[in-house]
Amino acid sequence: LDVTGMTRKGCPFCVRAKGMLRDAGIEFEELMLNRDYTDRSLRALASASTVPQVFINGELIGGSEALEEWLGTTSHA
C-alpha cells in the first residue's frame, strides 16, 4: 500500500491516526503542515481544512474516524 498522512504538530487526531496505521502494520509517509505543505495544499488536495488527511493508493480516506472505519472494513494485508 502507498499511504501518506497530512498532519500537524501537536494534533491529537494525527497521533491517533498514525497509531492506528502502526498497529495495523502499515508503513506510511508523513507530511507535516508548515514543513512539507501549507493550508493551501491541504485544501487543494483533500478539499479539507482539518488534519489528519490520510491518502491510501491515491484515494483520500479522510481523518482519523474515516481511517478507523477503513481499517475495520478493508482487508489491508
Side-chain angles (χ1 to χ4, degrees):
L1 293 173
D2 291 318
V3 182
T4 297
M6 299 176 83
T7 66
R8 173 178 58 80
K9 187 174 183 174
C11 165
F13 298 103
C14 299
V15 171
R16 182 169 176 256
K18 292 185 287 185
M20 286 188 287
L21 288 168
R22 286 188 191 106
D23 289 349
I26 298 173
E27 292 184 17
F28 61 94
E29 181 174 278
E30 179 179 8
L31 300 177
M32 191 170 295
L33 180 65
N34 297 325
R35 182 190 72 189
D36 302 313
Y37 71 96
T38 65
D39 288 332
R40 181 177 292 180
S41 294
L42 178 62
R43 291 189 304 269
L45 294 171
S47 297
S49 58
T50 60
V51 289
Q53 293 298 324
V54 178
F55 293 83
I56 299 176
N57 292 336
E59 176 186 351
L60 173 62
I61 301 304
S64 59
E65 289 182 5
L67 175 62
E68 184 174 36
E69 184 177 321
W70 184 88
L71 288 169
T73 60
T74 305
S75 173
H76 47 272

